[in-house]
Amino acid sequence: MSLKQVVRPRIRSYICVTAHPNGCDARVREQIAYVKAQKPLKGGPKRALIIGASTGYGLASRIALAYGARAATLGIFYEKPCENERPASAGWYNSAAFEAQARKDGIWAKSLNGDAFSNELKVAAIDLIKKEMGQIDLVIYSLASPRRTDPQTNITYRSVLKPIGTSFTSKNLDTDRNEVTQITIAPAADGDIEGTVKVMGGEDWELWMEALDSAGLIAPGCNSVAYSYIGPTVTWPVYKNGTIGRAKEDLERAAKSIDALLKIHRGRAFISVNKAVVTQASSAIPVVPLYIALLFKAMKAHGIHEGCIEQAWRLFSTQMYNDNFLDFDEDGRVRLDNWEMREDIQKEVFDVWPNVTTENLNTLTDYAGYQSEFLKLFGFGINGVNYDEEVEINIPL
Ligand code: NAD
């Protein structure tokens, strides 16, 4: 049923509850155009499974693989369709746009919308792969979720962003009110670490890989990558050394066990530590938006600014394919955050950090760039899109 509406952004805290279908379509096309302008990936995968494929790093990975290697992609995500006259979520529109364009360009693409943590979705994916893809050459694990129901016990766990041991006070950017404030975050309570590890750790990644292996769907040479973040020390109490950091440690543990499994198939599993970018997941992390606003200013000034698509492209084109070898750090991780963590960039960020106030936020930082990126996640603020016209919001996937 056709449903037309003028769609405006409606922002609630760090999320926009509306999304613009034409804007999301334009954003997907921008990313496709970026990849098309590069040299094709030599030796790239022919069949890829992307878990968390509708927004952020997962979507960019999907686009890079489809248009860089003409890979058939199966995308897994959990997005909301248009319902009760409310627009669908951005990830829904992104995926619809990607699939439609891929189909036009003769690139195989299918998606499953549902809970990736459930047994049912894994079974559905395995059936689809068996019937239509044969086997899988690359698995990207790019989920960011606030909760997970363990399929074995049916217990639901929640992921929280809290420091461990003591409370943490820091300068912070309140993106709702555009104010530089102080924030104090209480330490993790009983169960918070376990909950966050259950949701954002590596258990589900392992379950996916074991399920694919048992079904005989891992192709010779199949690789798998999951994404992580480390960042600067100011964010460590709430990130690296906080509850989410424990989950990322567990992801690294899982990477080693999956690596052992994939080596049997002559492939590898590893963690790629990516740079800080504006996504739905990162905008919810305290302290990080202020850091990103400063980081963008420094990286743009040095001509090394990157978003998700540039990072995904760098991973595939300079590390995994084109006769390249994985360049691991001492802990066996790929470091796509190497430009972010460059000494000169970090120095510029933290020379300015103490001086940022509400009044000078727009001159000392690239908060305008942050805000623009945030709106673009939901398809708003994109050149060439007419936001005053009624658009079809009931778009099928
Ligand atoms: P995102 O919010 O843009 O994407 C999350 C994806 O997970 C979406 O496709 C969503 O539909 C999917 N998803 C969530 N719950 C699901 C469920 N139950 N079942 C199926 N799909 C589900 O997030 P992102 O920022 O791209 O993060 C992806 C990964 O990259 C995370 O591991 C994150 O820690 C990592 N990372 C992010 C940044 C950053 O700055 N954003 C930096 C480095 C690493």
Side-chain angles (χ1 to χ4, degrees):
M1 187 189 66
S2 169
L3 198 54
K4 288 199 165 182
Q5 246 178 44
V6 173
V7 187
R8 306 262 183 230
R10 290 208 338 252
I11 297 169
R12 304 268 177 280
S13 301
Y14 43 77
I15 186 98
C16 180
V17 295
T18 51
H20 199 282
N22 295 8
C24 290
D25 182 86
R27 276 282 274 183
V28 166
R29 280 166 197 277
E30 265 173 34
Q31 296 190 58
I32 291 176
Y34 173 85
V35 177
K36 278 183 161 174
Q38 318 296 322
K39 281 201 193 113
L41 291 174
K42 201 170 114 203
K46 290 291 147 234
R47 300 152 300 182
L49 169 65
I50 296 104
I51 303 163
S54 54
T55 54
Y57 275 122
L59 174 66
S61 305
R62 186 178 201 185
I63 292 172
L65 294 164
Y67 282 87
R70 294 191 70 81
T73 58
L74 172 58
I76 310 285
F77 45 77
Y78 209 2
E79 299 293 344
K80 284 201 197 86
C82 161
E83 241 172 16
N84 302 327
E85 307 204 354
R86 275 204 311 269
S89 58
W92 180 282
Y93 290 139
N94 291 339
S95 303
F98 169 78
E99 276 197 29
Q101 192 58 46
R103 254 196 311 273
K104 256 192 218 157
D105 294 332
I107 301 171
W108 191 96
K110 285 206 175 167
S111 303
L112 289 171
N113 185 42
D115 183 6
F117 298 130
S118 69
N119 287 334
E120 292 74 14
L121 199 99
K122 290 184 177 75
V123 168
I126 282 168
D127 280 354
L128 203 152
I129 295 166
K130 265 190 197 156
K131 284 194 195 113
E132 304 198 33
M133 300 173 87
Q135 284 187 316
I136 292 293
D137 306 302
L138 175 65
V139 180
I140 304 285
Y141 192 82
S142 186
L143 287 186
S145 173
R147 72 188 69 79
R148 169 178 172 229
T149 300
D150 182 328
Q152 261 112 31
T153 60
N154 228 20
I155 296 172
T156 298
Y157 295 91
R158 269 162 223 294
S159 162
V160 296
L161 294 155
K162 289 190 185 171
I164 295 172
T166 51
S167 63
F168 169 53
T169 299
S170 168
K171 193 168 208 171
N172 185 52
L173 174 53
D174 181 335
T175 50
D176 249 0
R177 291 159 51 201
N178 304 329
E179 281 176 10
V180 178
T181 55
Q182 273 227 328
I183 189 171
T184 297
I185 312 160
D190 279 353
D192 280 346
I193 299 176
E194 185 201 2
T196 309
V197 169
K198 273 281 188 182
V199 180
M200 289 297 288
E203 190 176 77
D204 182 61
W205 185 20
E206 287 177 289
L207 290 174
W208 269 102
M209 298 309 296
E210 283 159 15
L212 292 169
D213 189 37
S214 310
L217 302 183
I218 295 185
C222 174
N223 295 312
S224 187
V225 191
Y227 297 137
S228 187
Y229 183 64
I230 295 178
T233 51
V234 284
T235 64
W236 283 10
V238 71
Y239 201 93
K240 180 174 171 288
N241 298 338
T243 47
I244 184 72
R246 292 290 177 91
K248 293 298 188 187
E249 276 170 25
D250 189 65
L251 199 66
E252 298 203 13
R253 174 202 58 73
K256 293 194 173 75
S257 92
I258 297 168
D259 192 40
L261 168 76
L262 291 186
K263 273 182 178 150
I264 300 169
H265 299 275
R266 288 185 286 110
R268 297 300 308 259
F270 62 94
I271 299 287
S272 172
V273 180
N274 294 359
K275 83 173 276 274
V277 289
V278 184
T279 66
Q280 293 185 41
S282 69
S283 51
I285 307 174
V287 191
V288 166
L290 178 59
Y291 168 69
I292 291 184
L294 282 159
L295 180 73
F296 278 15
K297 179 130 181 150
M299 293 187 80
K300 283 178 185 174
H302 285 263
I304 52 169
H305 177 70
E306 290 177 303
C308 291
I309 194 67
E310 290 85 0
Q311 282 264 294
W313 187 253
R314 192 141 70 87
L315 172 65
F316 301 132
S317 65
T318 71
Q319 295 279 325
M320 298 185 68
Y321 306 112
N322 295 344
D323 300 325
N324 285 300
F325 294 99
L326 292 161
D327 179 17
F328 289 137
D329 70 5
E330 64 282 6
D331 294 309
R333 305 170 295 211
V334 165
R335 299 299 296 266
L336 294 179
D337 65 341
N338 54 346
W339 297 351
E340 167 181 348
M341 300 315 292
R342 246 168 54 177
E343 221 172 282
D344 56 337
I345 298 293
Q346 289 294 312
K347 184 172 181 323
E348 277 178 36
V349 168
F350 290 105
D351 280 351
V352 180
W353 178 273
N355 306 329
V356 183
T357 62
T358 304
E359 291 67 39
N360 63 26
L361 183 61
N362 280 312
T363 43
L364 292 192
T365 83
D366 184 27
Y367 185 43
Y370 178 94
Q371 286 177 305
S372 150
E373 278 296 306
F374 178 79
L375 280 174
K376 283 181 178 172
L377 295 178
F378 305 94
F380 296 106
I382 292 156
N383 285 340
V385 176
N386 180 354
Y387 291 100
D388 294 325
E389 101 184 330
E390 286 197 334
V391 287
E392 178 61 57
I393 60 166
N394 191 13
I395 294 179
L397 243 179

